[in-house]
Structures are given as C-alpha cells and as structure tokens.
Amino acid sequence: MLNPVDLPTLFAEDRIHGCHPGEIHPAVAWWVASCLVLVTESHGVALVHDGADLAKEYTSLFCRGAINCRHYAATVSVVGGGGEELLAYAIRALRVPGALITTAGAQVTIRLFAADGTPIRVGGGLERICDLIARGKVPIPVNDTARGRVVNRHDIAMHFATAEG
C-alpha cells in the first residue's frame, strides 16, 4: 500500500476518520471510493461534502477512485456542499450509494451509505472495504473505456432546497 495508514484506527463502526495529515491523507478517499463501487457493484455514487477546502481535496480524490474501479464505469454525481439530509435526498433521487465527506478542523470523516440510504457499517460492507485496502486489492480500471465520469449535480441541491422551503 502506498502511503500506509493505520487502518484499524481509521475505520470505525460506521465511518472512516482521522486527523489530516497525520492519520489520514487524501489517497484514502481514492481507495475507499474505488472499493465502495466494487463492494456495492454500483455504476454510480452520490457525493456531498461540507464545503471546506480540506473536504474538497478529499472529494477530488474520492471522485477519481470511484470512476477508476474496474469495469464499472461509475458516474460520480457531486451534489455539492451540504449535510446528511442532502445526501439522503440525492441517494433517493439517483438510486445509488452515497458518501458524505466532512471536516472539523483537521479531522476528516467519510461516511458511506447504501443505495437504500442506510449507513454502510461494519457487518454491512465497511469491513470488506477495509480488508480490500489492507490487502492492497484496491480495484483499478481494466482499460480506458472502463473509466467512469464525474458530473456536477447542483440541480439536486437546488431541488432539495426548494423541497425544504
């Protein structure tokens, strides 16, 4: 594993988290995203972040990891800045798994959700993601045509804001 990290420290019951840059680094987001696509066998992921510069840095690598998972050609729908409610709305609208990347100072947290909106936890796939990373089995694309794409879906955030108001 390039840029090794202490996986048992990063992976909690329902999240991946650590202090940047000492415990966690942006490549972890790449690894997690690629493994999320593989574990969920999904061709898409909804992504929300908290709008902080550090969260955006992790978002960028998360997107690259998700679009580079084997033959899935996953589309990452970046909804933009928001919280868990916005992500839940995006997951329902797109019918794909999702990820929420948040920061509190230097603390970075990545939470993953299944396509039905339930958190991906230990016993529900999070341990498989951790195991793939630990064994250096992070999936890569089989060829250039297998790469996915990143789309900005700020329209979902606007629909959410309208539905809330």
Side-chain angles (χ1 to χ4, degrees):
M1 165 191 332
L2 295 175
N3 300 321
V5 292
D6 182 8
L7 292 174
T9 299
L10 292 182
F11 277 76
E13 178 70 22
D14 65 347
R15 66 193 68 215
I16 301 99
H17 65 112
C19 189
H20 173 88
E23 297 172 337
I24 192 170
H25 52 77
V28 173
W30 196 105
W31 304 337
V32 167
S34 187
C35 293
L36 172 66
V37 170
L38 180 68
V39 167
T40 61
E41 298 181 349
S42 180
H43 293 280
V45 177
L47 179 60
V48 172
H49 57 78
D50 67 9
D53 287 341
L54 186 56
K56 289 178 182 177
E57 183 180 348
Y58 278 74
T59 293
S60 176
L61 269 93
F62 186 97
C63 290
R64 288 176 44 201
I67 68 171
N68 281 298
C69 178
R70 290 193 182 157
H71 62 279
Y72 287 94
T75 297
V76 179
S77 298
V78 180
V79 180
E84 195 171 323
E85 298 82 17
L86 176 58
L87 180 60
Y89 184 81
I91 289 170
R92 284 193 308 273
L94 298 170
R95 298 181 184 154
V96 296
L100 176 64
I101 300 176
T102 58
T103 57
Q107 183 76 21
V108 176
T109 301
I110 303 170
R111 296 197 59 219
L112 306 175
F113 296 83
D116 66 1
T118 59
I120 295 176
R121 313 171 56 84
V122 170
L126 193 58
E127 75 287 350
R128 288 183 57 209
I129 292 170
C130 182
D131 181 61
L132 286 166
I133 295 169
R135 293 186 299 120
K137 300 292 185 184
V138 176
I140 57 174
V142 292
N143 57 48
D144 285 342
T145 61
R147 286 193 193 339
R149 64 192 178 107
V150 177
V151 295
N152 289 313
R153 293 298 310 266
H154 301 294
D155 59 308
I156 293 174
M158 292 184 63
H159 289 147
F160 174 74
T162 303
E164 288 289 301

